[in-house]
mmCIF file of all heavy atoms in Angstrom:
data_model
loop_
_atom_site.group_PDB
_atom_site.id
_atom_site.type_symbol
_atom_site.label_atom_id
_atom_site.label_comp_id
_atom_site.label_asym_id
_atom_site.label_seq_id
_atom_site.Cartn_x
_atom_site.Cartn_y
_atom_site.Cartn_z
ATOM 1 N N LEU A 7 -6.823 0.389 -10.587
ATOM 2 C CA LEU A 7 -6.295 -0.219 -11.821
ATOM 3 C C LEU A 7 -6.406 -1.771 -11.716
ATOM 4 O O LEU A 7 -6.713 -2.440 -12.717
ATOM 5 C CB LEU A 7 -4.852 0.211 -12.066
ATOM 6 C CG LEU A 7 -4.631 1.634 -12.470
ATOM 7 C CD1 LEU A 7 -3.162 1.947 -12.685
ATOM 8 C CD2 LEU A 7 -5.409 2.012 -13.725
ATOM 9 N N ALA A 8 -6.124 -2.278 -10.514
ATOM 10 C CA ALA A 8 -6.218 -3.774 -10.359
ATOM 11 C C ALA A 8 -7.689 -4.226 -10.517
ATOM 12 O O ALA A 8 -7.917 -5.281 -11.125
ATOM 13 C CB ALA A 8 -5.697 -4.156 -8.968
ATOM 14 N N LYS A 9 -8.621 -3.457 -9.993
ATOM 15 C CA LYS A 9 -10.035 -3.844 -10.102
ATOM 16 C C LYS A 9 -10.548 -3.848 -11.532
ATOM 17 O O LYS A 9 -11.279 -4.675 -11.934
ATOM 18 C CB LYS A 9 -10.883 -2.824 -9.310
ATOM 19 C CG LYS A 9 -12.357 -3.161 -9.205
ATOM 20 C CD LYS A 9 -13.076 -2.170 -8.308
ATOM 21 C CE LYS A 9 -14.575 -2.531 -8.183
ATOM 22 N NZ LYS A 9 -15.287 -1.594 -7.348
ATOM 23 N N LYS A 10 -9.931 -3.027 -12.391
ATOM 24 C CA LYS A 10 -10.239 -2.963 -13.832
ATOM 25 C C LYS A 10 -9.426 -3.966 -14.660
ATOM 26 O O LYS A 10 -9.637 -4.027 -15.856
ATOM 27 C CB LYS A 10 -10.091 -1.569 -14.326
ATOM 28 C CG LYS A 10 -11.103 -0.562 -13.714
ATOM 29 C CD LYS A 10 -10.816 0.859 -14.166
ATOM 30 C CE LYS A 10 -11.806 1.829 -13.542
ATOM 31 N NZ LYS A 10 -11.526 3.248 -14.021
ATOM 32 N N GLY A 11 -8.495 -4.669 -14.058
ATOM 33 C CA GLY A 11 -7.697 -5.627 -14.741
ATOM 34 C C GLY A 11 -6.525 -5.115 -15.508
ATOM 35 O O GLY A 11 -5.928 -5.836 -16.354
ATOM 36 N N PHE A 12 -6.119 -3.879 -15.221
ATOM 37 C CA PHE A 12 -5.026 -3.270 -15.922
ATOM 38 C C PHE A 12 -3.653 -3.681 -15.376
ATOM 39 O O PHE A 12 -2.591 -3.553 -16.013
ATOM 40 C CB PHE A 12 -5.132 -1.725 -15.917
ATOM 41 C CG PHE A 12 -6.265 -1.168 -16.764
ATOM 42 C CD1 PHE A 12 -7.249 -0.353 -16.161
ATOM 43 C CD2 PHE A 12 -6.373 -1.481 -18.097
ATOM 44 C CE1 PHE A 12 -8.263 0.174 -16.910
ATOM 45 C CE2 PHE A 12 -7.362 -0.945 -18.867
ATOM 46 C CZ PHE A 12 -8.343 -0.151 -18.297
ATOM 47 N N VAL A 13 -3.632 -4.138 -14.125
ATOM 48 C CA VAL A 13 -2.407 -4.577 -13.485
ATOM 49 C C VAL A 13 -2.650 -5.898 -12.787
ATOM 50 O O VAL A 13 -3.819 -6.221 -12.459
ATOM 51 C CB VAL A 13 -1.836 -3.548 -12.494
ATOM 52 C CG1 VAL A 13 -1.513 -2.215 -13.152
ATOM 53 C CG2 VAL A 13 -2.857 -3.289 -11.321
ATOM 54 N N PRO A 14 -1.616 -6.737 -12.537
ATOM 55 C CA PRO A 14 -1.837 -8.013 -11.857
ATOM 56 C C PRO A 14 -2.416 -7.818 -10.429
ATOM 57 O O PRO A 14 -2.037 -6.826 -9.763
ATOM 58 C CB PRO A 14 -0.443 -8.601 -11.820
ATOM 59 C CG PRO A 14 0.292 -7.985 -12.947
ATOM 60 C CD PRO A 14 -0.258 -6.531 -13.024
ATOM 61 N N ALA A 15 -3.222 -8.801 -10.075
ATOM 62 C CA ALA A 15 -3.821 -8.712 -8.711
ATOM 63 C C ALA A 15 -3.954 -10.127 -8.140
ATOM 64 O O ALA A 15 -3.745 -11.095 -8.859
ATOM 65 C CB ALA A 15 -5.196 -8.024 -8.775
ATOM 66 N N ASP A 16 -4.255 -10.183 -6.926
ATOM 67 C CA ASP A 16 -4.668 -11.440 -6.230
ATOM 68 C C ASP A 16 -3.622 -12.543 -6.259
ATOM 69 O O ASP A 16 -3.665 -13.408 -7.087
ATOM 70 C CB ASP A 16 -6.016 -11.933 -6.821
ATOM 71 C CG ASP A 16 -6.594 -13.061 -5.972
ATOM 72 O OD1 ASP A 16 -6.456 -13.020 -4.749
ATOM 73 O OD2 ASP A 16 -7.302 -13.894 -6.577
ATOM 74 N N PRO A 17 -2.630 -12.529 -5.315
ATOM 75 C CA PRO A 17 -2.439 -11.570 -4.271
ATOM 76 C C PRO A 17 -1.504 -10.442 -4.687
ATOM 77 O O PRO A 17 -0.717 -10.599 -5.561
ATOM 78 C CB PRO A 17 -1.894 -12.333 -3.123
ATOM 79 C CG PRO A 17 -1.115 -13.381 -3.804
ATOM 80 C CD PRO A 17 -1.850 -13.723 -5.097
ATOM 81 N N MET A 18 -1.624 -9.297 -4.089
ATOM 82 C CA MET A 18 -0.779 -8.127 -4.338
ATOM 83 C C MET A 18 0.292 -7.991 -3.339
ATOM 84 O O MET A 18 0.039 -8.222 -2.125
ATOM 85 C CB MET A 18 -1.647 -6.880 -4.443
ATOM 86 C CG MET A 18 -2.677 -6.946 -5.525
ATOM 87 S SD MET A 18 -3.856 -5.542 -5.539
ATOM 88 C CE MET A 18 -2.790 -4.278 -6.419
ATOM 89 N N GLN A 19 1.456 -7.503 -3.716
ATOM 90 C CA GLN A 19 2.537 -7.226 -2.814
ATOM 91 C C GLN A 19 2.837 -5.716 -2.830
ATOM 92 O O GLN A 19 3.100 -5.189 -3.928
ATOM 93 C CB GLN A 19 3.811 -7.988 -3.099
ATOM 94 C CG GLN A 19 5.152 -7.450 -2.601
ATOM 95 C CD GLN A 19 5.322 -7.352 -1.108
ATOM 96 O OE1 GLN A 19 4.529 -7.935 -0.387
ATOM 97 N NE2 GLN A 19 6.311 -6.643 -0.691
ATOM 98 N N PHE A 20 2.782 -5.035 -1.771
ATOM 99 C CA PHE A 20 3.030 -3.578 -1.695
ATOM 100 C C PHE A 20 4.290 -3.300 -0.952
ATOM 101 O O PHE A 20 4.683 -3.957 -0.045
ATOM 102 C CB PHE A 20 1.894 -2.919 -0.955
ATOM 103 C CG PHE A 20 0.570 -3.064 -1.576
ATOM 104 C CD1 PHE A 20 -0.298 -4.127 -1.254
ATOM 105 C CD2 PHE A 20 0.096 -2.175 -2.558
ATOM 106 C CE1 PHE A 20 -1.556 -4.304 -1.835
ATOM 107 C CE2 PHE A 20 -1.146 -2.348 -3.134
ATOM 108 C CZ PHE A 20 -1.967 -3.392 -2.728
ATOM 109 N N ASN A 21 4.973 -2.262 -1.394
ATOM 110 C CA ASN A 21 6.073 -1.638 -0.660
ATOM 111 C C ASN A 21 5.763 -0.173 -0.361
ATOM 112 O O ASN A 21 5.584 0.622 -1.267
ATOM 113 C CB ASN A 21 7.396 -1.712 -1.414
ATOM 114 C CG ASN A 21 8.525 -1.147 -0.671
ATOM 115 O OD1 ASN A 21 8.629 -1.103 0.589
ATOM 116 N ND2 ASN A 21 9.469 -0.474 -1.373
ATOM 117 N N PHE A 22 5.569 0.137 0.914
ATOM 118 C CA PHE A 22 5.229 1.452 1.353
ATOM 119 C C PHE A 22 6.505 2.210 1.684
ATOM 120 O O PHE A 22 7.184 1.923 2.632
ATOM 121 C CB PHE A 22 4.300 1.399 2.564
ATOM 122 C CG PHE A 22 2.983 0.696 2.302
ATOM 123 C CD1 PHE A 22 2.575 -0.377 3.077
ATOM 124 C CD2 PHE A 22 2.229 1.032 1.199
ATOM 125 C CE1 PHE A 22 1.400 -1.004 2.797
ATOM 126 C CE2 PHE A 22 1.013 0.389 0.928
ATOM 127 C CZ PHE A 22 0.638 -0.669 1.732
ATOM 128 N N VAL A 23 6.859 3.166 0.799
ATOM 129 C CA VAL A 23 8.082 3.902 0.917
ATOM 130 C C VAL A 23 7.770 5.267 1.626
ATOM 131 O O VAL A 23 7.101 6.130 0.997
ATOM 132 C CB VAL A 23 8.757 4.145 -0.451
ATOM 133 C CG1 VAL A 23 10.096 4.847 -0.267
ATOM 134 C CG2 VAL A 23 8.907 2.866 -1.239
ATOM 135 N N LEU A 24 8.190 5.348 2.830
ATOM 136 C CA LEU A 24 7.777 6.507 3.652
ATOM 137 C C LEU A 24 8.993 7.345 4.082
ATOM 138 O O LEU A 24 10.029 6.830 4.393
ATOM 139 C CB LEU A 24 7.067 6.001 4.922
ATOM 140 C CG LEU A 24 5.818 5.146 4.678
ATOM 141 C CD1 LEU A 24 5.224 4.664 5.975
ATOM 142 C CD2 LEU A 24 4.716 5.900 3.856
ATOM 143 N N GLY A 25 8.842 8.663 3.968
ATOM 144 C CA GLY A 25 9.901 9.565 4.431
ATOM 145 C C GLY A 25 10.624 10.242 3.304
ATOM 146 O O GLY A 25 11.579 11.006 3.557
ATOM 147 N N VAL A 26 10.294 9.945 2.063
ATOM 148 C CA VAL A 26 10.897 10.743 0.946
ATOM 149 C C VAL A 26 10.397 12.196 1.063
ATOM 150 O O VAL A 26 9.238 12.405 1.261
ATOM 151 C CB VAL A 26 10.427 10.133 -0.436
ATOM 152 C CG1 VAL A 26 10.907 11.062 -1.578
ATOM 153 C CG2 VAL A 26 10.977 8.734 -0.628
ATOM 154 N N PHE A 27 11.410 13.110 0.927
ATOM 155 C CA PHE A 27 10.970 14.522 1.106
ATOM 156 C C PHE A 27 10.025 14.901 -0.052
ATOM 157 O O PHE A 27 10.324 14.771 -1.194
ATOM 158 C CB PHE A 27 12.245 15.387 1.018
ATOM 159 C CG PHE A 27 11.979 16.882 1.200
ATOM 160 C CD1 PHE A 27 11.453 17.398 2.407
ATOM 161 C CD2 PHE A 27 12.165 17.754 0.089
ATOM 162 C CE1 PHE A 27 11.173 18.703 2.499
ATOM 163 C CE2 PHE A 27 11.907 19.117 0.249
ATOM 164 C CZ PHE A 27 11.407 19.584 1.453
ATOM 165 N N GLY A 28 8.866 15.394 0.391
ATOM 166 C CA GLY A 28 7.853 15.768 -0.643
ATOM 167 C C GLY A 28 6.739 14.733 -0.743
ATOM 168 O O GLY A 28 5.758 14.915 -1.393
ATOM 169 N N CYS A 29 6.925 13.542 -0.064
ATOM 170 C CA CYS A 29 5.900 12.473 -0.119
ATOM 171 C C CYS A 29 5.381 12.227 1.331
ATOM 172 O O CYS A 29 5.593 13.026 2.245
ATOM 173 C CB CYS A 29 6.518 11.218 -0.728
ATOM 174 S SG CYS A 29 7.106 11.424 -2.458
ATOM 175 N N THR A 30 4.700 11.091 1.509
ATOM 176 C CA THR A 30 4.096 10.791 2.787
ATOM 177 C C THR A 30 5.138 10.601 3.893
ATOM 178 O O THR A 30 6.110 9.863 3.692
ATOM 179 C CB THR A 30 3.248 9.528 2.687
ATOM 180 O OG1 THR A 30 2.187 9.750 1.790
ATOM 181 C CG2 THR A 30 2.644 9.122 4.071
ATOM 182 N N PRO A 31 4.952 11.315 5.011
ATOM 183 C CA PRO A 31 5.964 11.196 6.088
ATOM 184 C C PRO A 31 5.998 9.794 6.686
ATOM 185 O O PRO A 31 4.976 9.039 6.653
ATOM 186 C CB PRO A 31 5.420 12.201 7.167
ATOM 187 C CG PRO A 31 4.596 13.151 6.387
ATOM 188 C CD PRO A 31 3.984 12.354 5.242
ATOM 189 N N ALA A 32 7.145 9.467 7.264
ATOM 190 C CA ALA A 32 7.336 8.081 7.869
ATOM 191 C C ALA A 32 6.867 8.122 9.301
ATOM 192 O O ALA A 32 7.651 8.423 10.212
ATOM 193 C CB ALA A 32 8.819 7.723 7.825
ATOM 194 N N THR A 33 5.592 7.815 9.485
ATOM 195 C CA THR A 33 5.027 7.745 10.805
ATOM 196 C C THR A 33 4.235 6.407 10.919
ATOM 197 O O THR A 33 3.759 5.912 9.952
ATOM 198 C CB THR A 33 4.040 8.843 11.164
ATOM 199 O OG1 THR A 33 2.901 8.723 10.363
ATOM 200 C CG2 THR A 33 4.745 10.244 10.920
ATOM 201 N N VAL A 34 4.141 5.920 12.171
ATOM 202 C CA VAL A 34 3.402 4.695 12.339
ATOM 203 C C VAL A 34 1.909 4.870 11.981
ATOM 204 O O VAL A 34 1.301 4.055 11.369
ATOM 205 C CB VAL A 34 3.590 4.166 13.786
ATOM 206 C CG1 VAL A 34 2.650 3.048 14.115
ATOM 207 C CG2 VAL A 34 5.035 3.738 14.058
ATOM 208 N N PRO A 35 1.264 5.992 12.363
ATOM 209 C CA PRO A 35 -0.155 6.180 11.927
ATOM 210 C C PRO A 35 -0.343 6.080 10.379
ATOM 211 O O PRO A 35 -1.285 5.531 9.930
ATOM 212 C CB PRO A 35 -0.544 7.567 12.506
ATOM 213 C CG PRO A 35 0.301 7.683 13.703
ATOM 214 C CD PRO A 35 1.587 7.049 13.377
ATOM 215 N N ASN A 36 0.624 6.721 9.654
ATOM 216 C CA ASN A 36 0.510 6.651 8.205
ATOM 217 C C ASN A 36 0.707 5.233 7.691
ATOM 218 O O ASN A 36 -0.035 4.831 6.734
ATOM 219 C CB ASN A 36 1.543 7.586 7.536
ATOM 220 C CG ASN A 36 1.228 9.020 7.680
ATOM 221 O OD1 ASN A 36 0.067 9.366 7.955
ATOM 222 N ND2 ASN A 36 2.184 9.922 7.432
ATOM 223 N N LEU A 37 1.642 4.483 8.265
ATOM 224 C CA LEU A 37 1.811 3.094 7.852
ATOM 225 C C LEU A 37 0.615 2.299 8.217
ATOM 226 O O LEU A 37 0.077 1.477 7.366
ATOM 227 C CB LEU A 37 3.035 2.479 8.598
ATOM 228 C CG LEU A 37 3.272 1.050 8.336
ATOM 229 C CD1 LEU A 37 3.539 0.744 6.863
ATOM 230 C CD2 LEU A 37 4.488 0.572 9.154
ATOM 231 N N CYS A 38 -0.045 2.500 9.377
ATOM 232 C CA CYS A 38 -1.225 1.749 9.745
ATOM 233 C C CYS A 38 -2.353 2.072 8.757
ATOM 234 O O CYS A 38 -3.149 1.152 8.433
ATOM 235 C CB CYS A 38 -1.628 2.157 11.136
ATOM 236 S SG CYS A 38 -0.595 1.489 12.448
ATOM 237 N N TRP A 39 -2.506 3.344 8.371
ATOM 238 C CA TRP A 39 -3.622 3.647 7.392
ATOM 239 C C TRP A 39 -3.399 2.864 6.140
ATOM 240 O O TRP A 39 -4.392 2.356 5.591
ATOM 241 C CB TRP A 39 -3.570 5.178 7.097
ATOM 242 C CG TRP A 39 -4.704 5.643 6.223
ATOM 243 C CD1 TRP A 39 -5.922 6.100 6.599
ATOM 244 C CD2 TRP A 39 -4.779 5.606 4.826
ATOM 245 N NE1 TRP A 39 -6.762 6.351 5.567
ATOM 246 C CE2 TRP A 39 -6.035 6.056 4.402
ATOM 247 C CE3 TRP A 39 -3.870 5.229 3.814
ATOM 248 C CZ2 TRP A 39 -6.426 6.156 3.046
ATOM 249 C CZ3 TRP A 39 -4.205 5.300 2.522
ATOM 250 C CH2 TRP A 39 -5.534 5.760 2.074
ATOM 251 N N LEU A 40 -2.202 2.847 5.631
ATOM 252 C CA LEU A 40 -1.960 2.108 4.373
ATOM 253 C C LEU A 40 -2.217 0.663 4.502
ATOM 254 O O LEU A 40 -2.896 -0.031 3.654
ATOM 255 C CB LEU A 40 -0.486 2.329 3.907
ATOM 256 C CG LEU A 40 -0.136 3.741 3.428
ATOM 257 C CD1 LEU A 40 1.356 4.018 3.490
ATOM 258 C CD2 LEU A 40 -0.653 3.948 1.991
ATOM 259 N N VAL A 41 -1.704 0.050 5.591
ATOM 260 C CA VAL A 41 -1.919 -1.418 5.806
ATOM 261 C C VAL A 41 -3.359 -1.736 5.911
ATOM 262 O O VAL A 41 -3.829 -2.786 5.429
ATOM 263 C CB VAL A 41 -1.016 -1.878 6.989
ATOM 264 C CG1 VAL A 41 -1.383 -3.327 7.384
ATOM 265 C CG2 VAL A 41 0.430 -1.712 6.736
ATOM 266 N N ASN A 42 -4.095 -0.890 6.612
ATOM 267 C CA ASN A 42 -5.521 -1.157 6.873
ATOM 268 C C ASN A 42 -6.382 -1.044 5.598
ATOM 269 O O ASN A 42 -7.566 -1.403 5.626
ATOM 270 C CB ASN A 42 -6.050 -0.243 7.919
ATOM 271 C CG ASN A 42 -5.562 -0.550 9.312
ATOM 272 O OD1 ASN A 42 -5.191 -1.711 9.591
ATOM 273 N ND2 ASN A 42 -5.568 0.453 10.208
ATOM 274 N N ASN A 43 -5.786 -0.543 4.499
ATOM 275 C CA ASN A 43 -6.582 -0.362 3.333
ATOM 276 C C ASN A 43 -6.136 -1.190 2.114
ATOM 277 O O ASN A 43 -6.552 -0.960 0.990
ATOM 278 C CB ASN A 43 -6.542 1.187 2.910
ATOM 279 C CG ASN A 43 -7.427 2.015 3.818
ATOM 280 O OD1 ASN A 43 -8.623 2.063 3.577
ATOM 281 N ND2 ASN A 43 -6.821 2.641 4.823
ATOM 282 N N ILE A 44 -5.308 -2.225 2.349
ATOM 283 C CA ILE A 44 -4.986 -3.141 1.270
ATOM 284 C C ILE A 44 -5.854 -4.329 1.329
ATOM 285 O O ILE A 44 -6.468 -4.665 2.373
ATOM 286 C CB ILE A 44 -3.496 -3.567 1.392
ATOM 287 C CG1 ILE A 44 -3.195 -4.293 2.748
ATOM 288 C CG2 ILE A 44 -2.573 -2.343 1.247
ATOM 289 C CD1 ILE A 44 -1.727 -4.787 2.833
ATOM 290 N N PRO A 45 -6.024 -5.079 0.235
ATOM 291 C CA PRO A 45 -6.873 -6.263 0.221
ATOM 292 C C PRO A 45 -6.400 -7.293 1.234
ATOM 293 O O PRO A 45 -5.194 -7.397 1.527
ATOM 294 C CB PRO A 45 -6.653 -6.845 -1.212
ATOM 295 C CG PRO A 45 -6.327 -5.570 -2.037
ATOM 296 C CD PRO A 45 -5.494 -4.764 -1.157
ATOM 297 N N ALA A 46 -7.322 -8.077 1.750
ATOM 298 C CA ALA A 46 -7.040 -8.953 2.905
ATOM 299 C C ALA A 46 -5.975 -10.029 2.634
ATOM 300 O O ALA A 46 -5.256 -10.401 3.536
ATOM 301 C CB ALA A 46 -8.363 -9.677 3.290
ATOM 302 N N ASN A 47 -5.839 -10.409 1.366
ATOM 303 C CA ASN A 47 -4.838 -11.474 1.033
ATOM 304 C C ASN A 47 -3.543 -10.967 0.545
ATOM 305 O O ASN A 47 -2.716 -11.644 0.040
ATOM 306 C CB ASN A 47 -5.415 -12.421 0.063
ATOM 307 C CG ASN A 47 -5.676 -11.741 -1.323
ATOM 308 O OD1 ASN A 47 -5.845 -10.541 -1.372
ATOM 309 N ND2 ASN A 47 -5.908 -12.543 -2.368
ATOM 310 N N SER A 48 -3.307 -9.650 0.718
ATOM 311 C CA SER A 48 -2.074 -8.974 0.270
ATOM 312 C C SER A 48 -0.944 -9.224 1.273
ATOM 313 O O SER A 48 -1.131 -9.539 2.431
ATOM 314 C CB SER A 48 -2.292 -7.462 0.126
ATOM 315 O OG SER A 48 -3.315 -7.210 -0.778
ATOM 316 N N THR A 49 0.304 -8.976 0.742
ATOM 317 C CA THR A 49 1.446 -8.895 1.607
ATOM 318 C C THR A 49 2.019 -7.455 1.462
ATOM 319 O O THR A 49 1.785 -6.795 0.477
ATOM 320 C CB THR A 49 2.550 -9.910 1.158
ATOM 321 O OG1 THR A 49 2.780 -9.833 -0.243
ATOM 322 C CG2 THR A 49 2.037 -11.336 1.497
ATOM 323 N N TRP A 50 2.843 -7.086 2.455
ATOM 324 C CA TRP A 50 3.366 -5.684 2.391
ATOM 325 C C TRP A 50 4.761 -5.561 3.034
ATOM 326 O O TRP A 50 5.075 -6.435 3.875
ATOM 327 C CB TRP A 50 2.439 -4.701 3.011
ATOM 328 C CG TRP A 50 2.108 -4.902 4.450
ATOM 329 C CD1 TRP A 50 1.149 -5.791 4.959
ATOM 330 C CD2 TRP A 50 2.750 -4.344 5.596
ATOM 331 N NE1 TRP A 50 1.171 -5.702 6.337
ATOM 332 C CE2 TRP A 50 2.161 -4.845 6.768
ATOM 333 C CE3 TRP A 50 3.870 -3.439 5.762
ATOM 334 C CZ2 TRP A 50 2.545 -4.488 8.062
ATOM 335 C CZ3 TRP A 50 4.237 -3.030 7.003
ATOM 336 C CH2 TRP A 50 3.572 -3.591 8.169
ATOM 337 N N THR A 51 5.493 -4.623 2.572
ATOM 338 C CA THR A 51 6.785 -4.265 3.070
ATOM 339 C C THR A 51 6.833 -2.767 3.346
ATOM 340 O O THR A 51 6.143 -2.030 2.727
ATOM 341 C CB THR A 51 7.874 -4.653 1.928
ATOM 342 O OG1 THR A 51 7.806 -5.987 1.740
ATOM 343 C CG2 THR A 51 9.274 -4.142 2.387
#
């Protein structure tokens, strides 16, 4: 959506919410996968 201009971008701030029952488990490998796939100038929580 950001690439198509539908949402604000550059730089982006992400919050990775891990461990909600039914969603992505809270593990370091899962966090690393997410962090490794965000744009280079992004920030994350």
Side-chain angles (χ1 to χ4, degrees):
L7 291 179
K9 186 175 181 180
K10 294 177 180 178
F12 290 123
V13 300
D16 193 29
M18 301 174 78
Q19 157 65 13
F20 299 90
N21 179 32
F22 300 126
V23 185
L24 302 178
V26 173
F27 181 66
C29 299
T30 297
T33 68
V34 172
N36 286 343
L37 178 59
C38 289
W39 186 92
L40 288 160
V41 172
N42 288 337
N43 285 280
I44 61 177
N47 62 344
S48 302
T49 52
W50 61 274
T51 297

